[in-house]
Amino acid sequence: MTIEQTRIMIEGISPQVDNGRHCVKAVVGDSIAIGADVWKDGHEMLRAAVFWRRLRKSEIRPGYTSGQRPDLERGQWREQALLESHNDRWLGEVKVDACGGYAFTVAAWTDRFASWRDELKKKYDAGRDIHSELLEGALIIARYRDNAEGKDRAAVDRLLATLGGEQSSAAKVGAVVDSAIEEIMDRVDPRLDLTVAPVEYPIWVDREKARFGAWYEIFPRSQGTDPTRGATLREAEQRLPAIADLGFDVLYLTPIHPIGLAHRKGKNNSETCQPGEPGSPWAIGSEAGGHTAVHPELGTLADFDHFLAAAQQQGLEIAFDLAIQCSPDHPWVKEHPAWFSHRPDGTIKYAENPPKKYQDIYPIDFETPDRDGLYNALLDVFLFWIERGVKIFRVDNPHTKPTTFWEWLIAMIHRDHPDVILLAEAFTRPKRMRLLAKVGFSQSYTYFTWRNSRAELEAYAEELFCTEARNYLRPNFFTNTPDILHAILQEGGRPAFIARLVLAATLSPSYGMYNGFELCERVPLKALSEEYLDSEKYQYKVWDWDRPGNIKEVVKLVNRIRHDHPALHLANNLQLLESSGPDIIAYAKASEDLSDVVICAVSCDPFGAREGTIRVPPELYGGGDFDAYHVHDLLSGSTWTWRGQWNYVKLDPQQWPAHVLRVSQVVK
Amino acid sequence: MTIEQTRIMIEGISPQVDNGRHCVKAVVGDSIAIGADVWKDGHEMLRAAVFWRRLRKSEIRPGYTSGQRPDLERGQWREQALLESHNDRWLGEVKVDACGGYAFTVAAWTDRFASWRDELKKKYDAGRDIHSELLEGALIIARYRDNAEGKDRAAVDRLLATLGGEQSSAAKVGAVVDSAIEEIMDRVDPRLDLTVAPVEYPIWVDREKARFGAWYEIFPRSQGTDPTRGATLREAEQRLPAIADLGFDVLYLTPIHPIGLAHRKGKNNSETCQPGEPGSPWAIGSEAGGHTAVHPELGTLADFDHFLAAAQQQGLEIAFDLAIQCSPDHPWVKEHPAWFSHRPDGTIKYAENPPKKYQDIYPIDFETPDRDGLYNALLDVFLFWIERGVKIFRVDNPHTKPTTFWEWLIAMIHRDHPDVILLAEAFTRPKRMRLLAKVGFSQSYTYFTWRNSRAELEAYAEELFCTEARNYLRPNFFTNTPDILHAILQEGGRPAFIARLVLAATLSPSYGMYNGFELCERVPLKALSEEYLDSEKYQYKVWDWDRPGNIKEVVKLVNRIRHDHPALHLANNLQLLESSGPDIIAYAKASEDLSDVVICAVSCDPFGAREGTIRVPPELYGGGDFDAYHVHDLLSGSTWTWRGQWNYVKLDPQQWPAHVLRVSQVVK
């Protein structure tokens, strides 16, 4: 038996998710910081590098490269040196320039020439006889020579000649300790003991919108002016310029499919529905079609194409709502009974959470014997809309379906369409939410709406943006949804709406609002309810988009600030700041080169004025404790001169409950 | 193609080291706390269990079971239910009752019967018709029946009859919601969707001495009375009763092999050696033999056997020093020239750290073409001494040899001798130290001697005893070594010796001292040196073991306290306490059932009296803020009545620089 021996150790590679089981997420153009613990027993000098490659189409599959040993001989690897920082930690970066899958690993080898040169020099400086060392060196250099060609080879030959020649020791040492030679030897290093980490770590690269974007959610049917019927897509188009004018990037449409009649829900979610009531758009499917059809009241597929094009002209990308569930009238119920769960009496099981019943919804039975048929049909639904130009999907309740289904589905979609973005609407327990992100969802809804005190916000922001969760989970902070009108908005009114808007839009590079937020709509279904009264989920509705008390100008301003400030486009640069006011949360975001530094101070109390001091770390203003610098409030327009680290802020809900400050560096 | 679908997710299994790449360490009798995140999409109820088994001899190998998928069908698995705590976390434990290798994994399955029963009950309570539910239940129960035998099967048949019979719904629901039936259904559960975590996590179980023991280090040759020569092993035996009387468990002998003559070091590490000087015991090997021989001046192998037996009679276990290096006179130099590195001029490379030379030492060349021969010869050296009865080895400088060598060697030793304990003397960088522990060393030397301020000690204790490092790294806190006489001892004198003794002996269940510490020996080689003047490393020496100013009574007392208090036998129960005195470190250790609670308060300032208050968490004294309880100082013998959490301590170096307090619970 021959015993394996490794001298070079490679451990603690970052970033990675569950030791390569899942992808690290990035966006096009990112330089991903790579780290590894690398060392060798003894005193020799090492070299280390990160190697990375694009994944082949066939490698875009559930699990990606997980568990795969890297083979540096095969495939197109790029290489970038890692540099030793301290405590055996080596650092470098990987640049990703296109959407799709990548994999990286780390390798290291002994720099035999430099190790020898280093010892030679020390001994020579200590006045020791170096005869034997020079003979040793010749043997080492000969190995490099075998690996060299052309001019390099000639240079190495000259070096060998010098060492073997009659010159003085001084001349020989001089010939070795020479930067030109150093360069050549690096280039021709045979890397005899190249040691490669045993795992390939996959990376998934999205386009930038997966990380940075402002979302606006609407019910297309409520975008019209006639309260007795739903608006058509053609009518809804009229709203696009106004929405674009607010500065949003993504327009999220609630489901546009035909709505079932069986057990259709009435106004305010009533079990009984009056004639002419439209029902919930999430009760998908009728004789008019299912997940690939458009509700006749909204129009035709052609109208949808037209809507898509019109939105594009306004710089708005459409996010499409996909809910994997059926109304009893969905064509699949007849065509694929095996996809639904049947009770012994032959009836199909409707959704329920005993004793609650949802008879207008049939859940899909993922235990169906026809799993392949079901999976592929669901994939086809996504592909159908992707081929029509939809590249963003908001997926309804993914946590009630098998996680491995999503892992398969997203890989299958990304194989041919790496530019598709999926937002998981999984209001579920933390670990389930995280795993959905790990298996491929580009973005996740969060608990943001329920984090309102300073302590809650700081702890949650820390968890999302400052721990390794940020390697795979991208939060999308929604201020509200058709189902979540938080008490702080109901009670706090306008100041609360503004504060929550600023928090969502500056803490997270992706944020969103459900229409009506800009109008400070805040009437709950009943006391202590988070649902809206007369929700457009269940009825026709027309809005007065200019109604008094709206905060459209603030929304517009905040969205412009987001676009103007690169620091707000990133998710891994959040820095929580010390603040003396228990209700004042303060944080900074800066671009890597510090050319753009934004500091936010937001009051978590919508009812009274709050004041205190916040601490700005010196590196953010580039000065010392007694240096002065300007901070310009991008909201109010005011400019203040601050000095040193601790400075005073006052936030009055009746004026501005928040500061968004552009920091000017101290000029030296 | 058939698509895989997993509904049950199992993640975040603990404890584990690098996802099963290395063993978690435990000792015989431990109950190892197991945790896992387990859930399934949807609302069904789950069951989970930890499965574990002993490893076969052939599985005791480098890497153990790393990367191996568990096969619950094959092998003798034991099973223990996990219980859900909160946030999808499930908890349980594994009991290990013998030395050797174990592996565990986690599995989960849907409790279909309980899930159905739960829904049935809810619907019945809500007054719903349950006809269809009962039919469903019958189908589920039939699957259980197929898996049942004898009385269980009969009971299940009765249940089915009831459900199919004419009784009232009430009677049927009653028959289902029945604890006896519940038990039977658990027992006969077919576990149709049993889901097993993909990895086996290895555990290595040592005897308790790997975790708990007090070590005492001696040079056997210095244990005599004649300053002109070294003591023999027979003479050294005379010292055993006195050492045992001090309360030590392990007697660590510096190397006892023949010492080379070539380039032998003289007094105080002088490059020139006078005739009659004994040389360093670490310059191993002469004409008299190598690593399997005893230095003639010490005696014979028979004398060593006799020494071993005598030590055993005194309750002392021998730790044997093994240094893989050779003097130029070592037999291997002639017999196995290939195991050494040769220079082009044919000479063998001695150890050096340019410009420093160590000409009395030849390092082994692990790059030798005869790797198998070398590895097996080194293994044979360990086996030679193991067969003579040595079960504890202190390994010299393991970090200068390949880590994979140690991983192989320790596995090979443990395969036949699971009771062998190895202490790594690796004073190297943190990650290298950690990896040596991961690959199998039972214990590690640490930086303890260089951690002297309260902040340093707290941070280091936190790192070692309160992070996941404790799963694989077992510190052995030495107060001093022949090479480390820290300035705090040189300058602080007796109070410093006592404080450092208490810290080492109570922070870590394994601790040790090099002889002379109990005599407060503290004369350095020169100013700012950590080496001893006239070190017995390089010369014959006799000690006056009763010399004035010794702290033998304190050593004896501390060792007795350690034995009397189970709380001090554990490594994972350290709790740092708040303390108002910047120089007073306070911490608690308690047995799991709180029957034994020890609180230590130690002054880090040997020069002046220090006072302050320390906070005792209520659970440790079992009372509230106004309850009184007794604390008895096991060192001074004093007893105080404390009240509530914050209490006063004063530490006077002239009396006692430390308290070791036994806490009496508040009697209610």
Side-chain angles (χ1 to χ4, degrees), chain B residues 216 238-249 311 314-316 546 552-560 563:
Chain B
Y216 185 74
Q238 306 312 313
R239 277 268 296 151
L240 292 173
I243 294 167
D245 183 57
L246 287 174
F248 288 100
D249 311 297
Q314 297 288 341
L316 286 168
D546 299 309
K552 283 161 67 181
E553 284 312 310
V554 182
V555 172
K556 208 163 151 175
L557 178 56
V558 166
N559 283 334
R560 188 173 336 111
H563 274 274

PDB file of all heavy atoms in Angstrom, chain B residues 216 238-249 311 314-316 546 552-560 563:
ATOM      1  N   TYR B 216       2.474  16.165  35.410  1.00  0.00           N
ATOM      2  CA  TYR B 216       3.692  16.628  36.077  1.00  0.00           C
ATOM      3  C   TYR B 216       4.873  16.181  35.222  1.00  0.00           C
ATOM      4  O   TYR B 216       4.998  14.993  34.902  1.00  0.00           O
ATOM      5  CB  TYR B 216       3.768  16.028  37.481  1.00  0.00           C
ATOM      6  CG  TYR B 216       4.912  16.519  38.337  1.00  0.00           C
ATOM      7  CD1 TYR B 216       4.894  17.799  38.886  1.00  0.00           C
ATOM      8  CD2 TYR B 216       5.999  15.691  38.623  1.00  0.00           C
ATOM      9  CE1 TYR B 216       5.930  18.249  39.697  1.00  0.00           C
ATOM     10  CE2 TYR B 216       7.042  16.134  39.435  1.00  0.00           C
ATOM     11  CZ  TYR B 216       6.990  17.409  39.967  1.00  0.00           C
ATOM     12  OH  TYR B 216       8.031  17.854  40.783  1.00  0.00           O
ATOM     13  N   GLN B 238      12.308   6.484  43.366  1.00  0.00           N
ATOM     14  CA  GLN B 238      12.162   6.921  44.761  1.00  0.00           C
ATOM     15  C   GLN B 238      11.291   8.170  44.858  1.00  0.00           C
ATOM     16  O   GLN B 238      10.690   8.439  45.890  1.00  0.00           O
ATOM     17  CB  GLN B 238      13.546   7.205  45.385  1.00  0.00           C
ATOM     18  CG  GLN B 238      14.534   6.057  45.272  1.00  0.00           C
ATOM     19  CD  GLN B 238      13.919   4.725  45.698  1.00  0.00           C
ATOM     20  OE1 GLN B 238      13.279   4.649  46.751  1.00  0.00           O
ATOM     21  NE2 GLN B 238      14.031   3.714  44.836  1.00  0.00           N
ATOM     22  N   ARG B 239      11.223   8.916  43.742  1.00  0.00           N
ATOM     23  CA  ARG B 239      10.467  10.178  43.769  1.00  0.00           C
ATOM     24  C   ARG B 239       8.957   9.962  43.581  1.00  0.00           C
ATOM     25  O   ARG B 239       8.153  10.864  43.853  1.00  0.00           O
ATOM     26  CB  ARG B 239      10.986  11.094  42.650  1.00  0.00           C
ATOM     27  CG  ARG B 239      12.224  11.875  43.051  1.00  0.00           C
ATOM     28  CD  ARG B 239      11.828  13.217  43.632  1.00  0.00           C
ATOM     29  NE  ARG B 239      11.158  14.051  42.604  1.00  0.00           N
ATOM     30  CZ  ARG B 239      10.261  14.965  42.889  1.00  0.00           C
ATOM     31  NH1 ARG B 239       9.881  15.155  44.135  1.00  0.00           N
ATOM     32  NH2 ARG B 239       9.703  15.676  41.913  1.00  0.00           N
ATOM     33  N   LEU B 240       8.583   8.779  43.116  1.00  0.00           N
ATOM     34  CA  LEU B 240       7.176   8.571  42.745  1.00  0.00           C
ATOM     35  C   LEU B 240       6.191   8.836  43.886  1.00  0.00           C
ATOM     36  O   LEU B 240       5.200   9.542  43.689  1.00  0.00           O
ATOM     37  CB  LEU B 240       6.988   7.147  42.182  1.00  0.00           C
ATOM     38  CG  LEU B 240       7.679   6.905  40.830  1.00  0.00           C
ATOM     39  CD1 LEU B 240       7.597   5.434  40.437  1.00  0.00           C
ATOM     40  CD2 LEU B 240       7.013   7.765  39.749  1.00  0.00           C
ATOM     41  N   PRO B 241       6.454   8.329  45.088  1.00  0.00           N
ATOM     42  CA  PRO B 241       5.471   8.582  46.167  1.00  0.00           C
ATOM     43  C   PRO B 241       5.238  10.078  46.400  1.00  0.00           C
ATOM     44  O   PRO B 241       4.098  10.518  46.548  1.00  0.00           O
ATOM     45  CB  PRO B 241       6.125   7.925  47.389  1.00  0.00           C
ATOM     46  CG  PRO B 241       7.044   6.886  46.832  1.00  0.00           C
ATOM     47  CD  PRO B 241       7.567   7.467  45.543  1.00  0.00           C
ATOM     48  N   ALA B 242       6.315  10.866  46.374  1.00  0.00           N
ATOM     49  CA  ALA B 242       6.178  12.308  46.622  1.00  0.00           C
ATOM     50  C   ALA B 242       5.337  12.972  45.516  1.00  0.00           C
ATOM     51  O   ALA B 242       4.491  13.829  45.781  1.00  0.00           O
ATOM     52  CB  ALA B 242       7.561  12.953  46.694  1.00  0.00           C
ATOM     53  N   ILE B 243       5.566  12.531  44.276  1.00  0.00           N
ATOM     54  CA  ILE B 243       4.822  13.117  43.150  1.00  0.00           C
ATOM     55  C   ILE B 243       3.347  12.719  43.246  1.00  0.00           C
ATOM     56  O   ILE B 243       2.446  13.552  43.097  1.00  0.00           O
ATOM     57  CB  ILE B 243       5.440  12.647  41.810  1.00  0.00           C
ATOM     58  CG1 ILE B 243       6.854  13.223  41.660  1.00  0.00           C
ATOM     59  CG2 ILE B 243       4.548  13.073  40.640  1.00  0.00           C
ATOM     60  CD1 ILE B 243       7.673  12.584  40.553  1.00  0.00           C
ATOM     61  N   ALA B 244       3.115  11.443  43.580  1.00  0.00           N
ATOM     62  CA  ALA B 244       1.729  10.983  43.733  1.00  0.00           C
ATOM     63  C   ALA B 244       1.060  11.748  44.871  1.00  0.00           C
ATOM     64  O   ALA B 244      -0.106  12.137  44.784  1.00  0.00           O
ATOM     65  CB  ALA B 244       1.706   9.488  44.006  1.00  0.00           C
ATOM     66  N   ASP B 245       1.821  12.022  45.914  1.00  0.00           N
ATOM     67  CA  ASP B 245       1.271  12.717  47.078  1.00  0.00           C
ATOM     68  C   ASP B 245       0.816  14.133  46.714  1.00  0.00           C
ATOM     69  O   ASP B 245      -0.094  14.682  47.329  1.00  0.00           O
ATOM     70  CB  ASP B 245       2.318  12.766  48.192  1.00  0.00           C
ATOM     71  CG  ASP B 245       1.754  13.408  49.450  1.00  0.00           C
ATOM     72  OD1 ASP B 245       0.744  12.904  49.954  1.00  0.00           O
ATOM     73  OD2 ASP B 245       2.307  14.447  49.893  1.00  0.00           O
ATOM     74  N   LEU B 246       1.438  14.712  45.694  1.00  0.00           N
ATOM     75  CA  LEU B 246       1.023  16.054  45.253  1.00  0.00           C
ATOM     76  C   LEU B 246      -0.318  15.993  44.520  1.00  0.00           C
ATOM     77  O   LEU B 246      -0.916  17.033  44.199  1.00  0.00           O
ATOM     78  CB  LEU B 246       2.082  16.669  44.342  1.00  0.00           C
ATOM     79  CG  LEU B 246       3.377  17.130  45.025  1.00  0.00           C
ATOM     80  CD1 LEU B 246       4.407  17.585  43.982  1.00  0.00           C
ATOM     81  CD2 LEU B 246       3.092  18.259  46.015  1.00  0.00           C
ATOM     82  N   GLY B 247      -0.773  14.776  44.201  1.00  0.00           N
ATOM     83  CA  GLY B 247      -2.114  14.629  43.618  1.00  0.00           C
ATOM     84  C   GLY B 247      -2.140  14.602  42.101  1.00  0.00           C
ATOM     85  O   GLY B 247      -3.191  14.802  41.491  1.00  0.00           O
ATOM     86  N   PHE B 248      -1.004  14.366  41.470  1.00  0.00           N
ATOM     87  CA  PHE B 248      -0.985  14.322  40.008  1.00  0.00           C
ATOM     88  C   PHE B 248      -1.475  12.976  39.489  1.00  0.00           C
ATOM     89  O   PHE B 248      -1.455  11.972  40.199  1.00  0.00           O
ATOM     90  CB  PHE B 248       0.415  14.630  39.479  1.00  0.00           C
ATOM     91  CG  PHE B 248       0.788  16.073  39.648  1.00  0.00           C
ATOM     92  CD1 PHE B 248       1.599  16.473  40.708  1.00  0.00           C
ATOM     93  CD2 PHE B 248       0.287  17.033  38.790  1.00  0.00           C
ATOM     94  CE1 PHE B 248       1.921  17.821  40.879  1.00  0.00           C
ATOM     95  CE2 PHE B 248       0.609  18.373  38.953  1.00  0.00           C
ATOM     96  CZ  PHE B 248       1.423  18.769  39.995  1.00  0.00           C
ATOM     97  N   ASP B 249      -1.955  13.000  38.233  1.00  0.00           N
ATOM     98  CA  ASP B 249      -2.492  11.791  37.608  1.00  0.00           C
ATOM     99  C   ASP B 249      -1.554  11.229  36.550  1.00  0.00           C
ATOM    100  O   ASP B 249      -1.525  10.031  36.306  1.00  0.00           O
ATOM    101  CB  ASP B 249      -3.836  12.107  36.937  1.00  0.00           C
ATOM    102  CG  ASP B 249      -4.764  12.859  37.854  1.00  0.00           C
ATOM    103  OD1 ASP B 249      -5.131  12.298  38.893  1.00  0.00           O
ATOM    104  OD2 ASP B 249      -5.083  14.032  37.562  1.00  0.00           O
ATOM    105  N   ALA B 311       5.151   3.273  39.074  1.00  0.00           N
ATOM    106  CA  ALA B 311       4.302   4.466  38.906  1.00  0.00           C
ATOM    107  C   ALA B 311       2.838   4.057  39.013  1.00  0.00           C
ATOM    108  O   ALA B 311       2.040   4.683  39.724  1.00  0.00           O
ATOM    109  CB  ALA B 311       4.590   5.119  37.563  1.00  0.00           C
ATOM    110  N   GLN B 314       1.492   3.745  42.293  1.00  0.00           N
ATOM    111  CA  GLN B 314       1.251   5.033  42.943  1.00  0.00           C
ATOM    112  C   GLN B 314       0.077   5.769  42.297  1.00  0.00           C
ATOM    113  O   GLN B 314      -0.188   6.941  42.601  1.00  0.00           O
ATOM    114  CB  GLN B 314       2.502   5.913  42.855  1.00  0.00           C
ATOM    115  CG  GLN B 314       3.713   5.344  43.569  1.00  0.00           C
ATOM    116  CD  GLN B 314       3.555   5.423  45.077  1.00  0.00           C
ATOM    117  OE1 GLN B 314       2.745   6.193  45.583  1.00  0.00           O
ATOM    118  NE2 GLN B 314       4.321   4.601  45.779  1.00  0.00           N
ATOM    119  N   GLY B 315      -0.614   5.116  41.365  1.00  0.00           N
ATOM    120  CA  GLY B 315      -1.737   5.763  40.689  1.00  0.00           C
ATOM    121  C   GLY B 315      -1.290   6.788  39.670  1.00  0.00           C
ATOM    122  O   GLY B 315      -2.042   7.689  39.298  1.00  0.00           O
ATOM    123  N   LEU B 316      -0.055   6.674  39.230  1.00  0.00           N
ATOM    124  CA  LEU B 316       0.475   7.612  38.227  1.00  0.00           C
ATOM    125  C   LEU B 316       0.583   6.919  36.875  1.00  0.00           C
ATOM    126  O   LEU B 316       1.132   5.828  36.783  1.00  0.00           O
ATOM    127  CB  LEU B 316       1.852   8.098  38.642  1.00  0.00           C
ATOM    128  CG  LEU B 316       1.920   9.104  39.792  1.00  0.00           C
ATOM    129  CD1 LEU B 316       3.354   9.258  40.282  1.00  0.00           C
ATOM    130  CD2 LEU B 316       1.363  10.451  39.344  1.00  0.00           C
ATOM    131  N   ASP B 546      12.135  20.212  48.928  1.00  0.00           N
ATOM    132  CA  ASP B 546      11.438  20.801  50.081  1.00  0.00           C
ATOM    133  C   ASP B 546      11.917  22.201  50.359  1.00  0.00           C
ATOM    134  O   ASP B 546      11.759  22.727  51.459  1.00  0.00           O
ATOM    135  CB  ASP B 546      11.645  19.913  51.316  1.00  0.00           C
ATOM    136  CG  ASP B 546      11.090  18.530  51.088  1.00  0.00           C
ATOM    137  OD1 ASP B 546       9.913  18.442  50.672  1.00  0.00           O
ATOM    138  OD2 ASP B 546      11.842  17.543  51.266  1.00  0.00           O
ATOM    139  N   LYS B 552       4.002  23.509  47.549  1.00  0.00           N
ATOM    140  CA  LYS B 552       3.552  22.121  47.396  1.00  0.00           C
ATOM    141  C   LYS B 552       2.191  21.886  48.050  1.00  0.00           C
ATOM    142  O   LYS B 552       1.330  21.198  47.492  1.00  0.00           O
ATOM    143  CB  LYS B 552       4.599  21.163  47.988  1.00  0.00           C
ATOM    144  CG  LYS B 552       5.811  20.982  47.072  1.00  0.00           C
ATOM    145  CD  LYS B 552       7.014  20.437  47.794  1.00  0.00           C
ATOM    146  CE  LYS B 552       6.784  19.010  48.254  1.00  0.00           C
ATOM    147  NZ  LYS B 552       7.974  18.511  48.989  1.00  0.00           N
ATOM    148  N   GLU B 553       1.969  22.511  49.200  1.00  0.00           N
ATOM    149  CA  GLU B 553       0.685  22.301  49.877  1.00  0.00           C
ATOM    150  C   GLU B 553      -0.466  22.853  49.025  1.00  0.00           C
ATOM    151  O   GLU B 553      -1.556  22.287  48.982  1.00  0.00           O
ATOM    152  CB  GLU B 553       0.685  22.948  51.269  1.00  0.00           C
ATOM    153  CG  GLU B 553       1.469  22.144  52.304  1.00  0.00           C
ATOM    154  CD  GLU B 553       1.100  20.651  52.288  1.00  0.00           C
ATOM    155  OE1 GLU B 553      -0.115  20.347  52.337  1.00  0.00           O
ATOM    156  OE2 GLU B 553       2.019  19.802  52.156  1.00  0.00           O
ATOM    157  N   VAL B 554      -0.195  23.953  48.331  1.00  0.00           N
ATOM    158  CA  VAL B 554      -1.246  24.543  47.485  1.00  0.00           C
ATOM    159  C   VAL B 554      -1.510  23.626  46.281  1.00  0.00           C
ATOM    160  O   VAL B 554      -2.659  23.354  45.927  1.00  0.00           O
ATOM    161  CB  VAL B 554      -0.832  25.948  46.998  1.00  0.00           C
ATOM    162  CG1 VAL B 554      -1.961  26.568  46.171  1.00  0.00           C
ATOM    163  CG2 VAL B 554      -0.483  26.840  48.176  1.00  0.00           C
ATOM    164  N   VAL B 555      -0.434  23.113  45.698  1.00  0.00           N
ATOM    165  CA  VAL B 555      -0.590  22.200  44.556  1.00  0.00           C
ATOM    166  C   VAL B 555      -1.432  20.999  44.974  1.00  0.00           C
ATOM    167  O   VAL B 555      -2.385  20.599  44.296  1.00  0.00           O
ATOM    168  CB  VAL B 555       0.804  21.738  44.057  1.00  0.00           C
ATOM    169  CG1 VAL B 555       0.656  20.641  43.009  1.00  0.00           C
ATOM    170  CG2 VAL B 555       1.583  22.923  43.500  1.00  0.00           C
ATOM    171  N   LYS B 556      -1.087  20.454  46.131  1.00  0.00           N
ATOM    172  CA  LYS B 556      -1.788  19.286  46.676  1.00  0.00           C
ATOM    173  C   LYS B 556      -3.283  19.615  46.849  1.00  0.00           C
ATOM    174  O   LYS B 556      -4.163  18.868  46.425  1.00  0.00           O
ATOM    175  CB  LYS B 556      -1.166  18.973  48.049  1.00  0.00           C
ATOM    176  CG  LYS B 556      -1.230  17.563  48.482  1.00  0.00           C
ATOM    177  CD  LYS B 556      -0.224  17.347  49.624  1.00  0.00           C
ATOM    178  CE  LYS B 556      -0.740  16.241  50.530  1.00  0.00           C
ATOM    179  NZ  LYS B 556       0.255  15.915  51.584  1.00  0.00           N
ATOM    180  N   LEU B 557      -3.530  20.773  47.446  1.00  0.00           N
ATOM    181  CA  LEU B 557      -4.905  21.211  47.720  1.00  0.00           C
ATOM    182  C   LEU B 557      -5.676  21.374  46.402  1.00  0.00           C
ATOM    183  O   LEU B 557      -6.784  20.864  46.240  1.00  0.00           O
ATOM    184  CB  LEU B 557      -4.863  22.525  48.499  1.00  0.00           C
ATOM    185  CG  LEU B 557      -6.189  23.188  48.857  1.00  0.00           C
ATOM    186  CD1 LEU B 557      -7.072  22.230  49.652  1.00  0.00           C
ATOM    187  CD2 LEU B 557      -5.934  24.466  49.655  1.00  0.00           C
ATOM    188  N   VAL B 558      -5.070  22.056  45.449  1.00  0.00           N
ATOM    189  CA  VAL B 558      -5.751  22.307  44.164  1.00  0.00           C
ATOM    190  C   VAL B 558      -6.063  20.988  43.453  1.00  0.00           C
ATOM    191  O   VAL B 558      -7.159  20.789  42.944  1.00  0.00           O
ATOM    192  CB  VAL B 558      -4.896  23.232  43.273  1.00  0.00           C
ATOM    193  CG1 VAL B 558      -5.397  23.221  41.837  1.00  0.00           C
ATOM    194  CG2 VAL B 558      -4.892  24.646  43.845  1.00  0.00           C
ATOM    195  N   ASN B 559      -5.105  20.064  43.470  1.00  0.00           N
ATOM    196  CA  ASN B 559      -5.365  18.773  42.826  1.00  0.00           C
ATOM    197  C   ASN B 559      -6.471  18.014  43.538  1.00  0.00           C
ATOM    198  O   ASN B 559      -7.266  17.322  42.895  1.00  0.00           O
ATOM    199  CB  ASN B 559      -4.075  17.950  42.756  1.00  0.00           C
ATOM    200  CG  ASN B 559      -3.163  18.441  41.633  1.00  0.00           C
ATOM    201  OD1 ASN B 559      -3.634  19.023  40.651  1.00  0.00           O
ATOM    202  ND2 ASN B 559      -1.859  18.246  41.798  1.00  0.00           N
ATOM    203  N   ARG B 560      -6.543  18.143  44.868  1.00  0.00           N
ATOM    204  CA  ARG B 560      -7.624  17.449  45.574  1.00  0.00           C
ATOM    205  C   ARG B 560      -8.971  18.073  45.210  1.00  0.00           C
ATOM    206  O   ARG B 560      -9.940  17.385  44.920  1.00  0.00           O
ATOM    207  CB  ARG B 560      -7.415  17.470  47.091  1.00  0.00           C
ATOM    208  CG  ARG B 560      -8.448  16.579  47.770  1.00  0.00           C
ATOM    209  CD  ARG B 560      -8.254  16.373  49.268  1.00  0.00           C
ATOM    210  NE  ARG B 560      -6.898  16.558  49.716  1.00  0.00           N
ATOM    211  CZ  ARG B 560      -6.510  17.592  50.481  1.00  0.00           C
ATOM    212  NH1 ARG B 560      -7.386  18.532  50.819  1.00  0.00           N
ATOM    213  NH2 ARG B 560      -5.265  17.693  50.871  1.00  0.00           N
ATOM    214  N   HIS B 563     -10.220  16.798  42.028  1.00  0.00           N
ATOM    215  CA  HIS B 563     -10.775  15.441  42.083  1.00  0.00           C
ATOM    216  C   HIS B 563     -12.132  15.410  42.767  1.00  0.00           C
ATOM    217  O   HIS B 563     -13.027  14.672  42.359  1.00  0.00           O
ATOM    218  CB  HIS B 563      -9.787  14.500  42.776  1.00  0.00           C
ATOM    219  CG  HIS B 563      -8.770  13.934  41.846  1.00  0.00           C
ATOM    220  ND1 HIS B 563      -9.003  12.794  41.106  1.00  0.00           N
ATOM    221  CD2 HIS B 563      -7.536  14.379  41.496  1.00  0.00           C
ATOM    222  CE1 HIS B 563      -7.945  12.550  40.353  1.00  0.00           C
ATOM    223  NE2 HIS B 563      -7.040  13.500  40.558  1.00  0.00           N
TER     224      HIS B 563
END
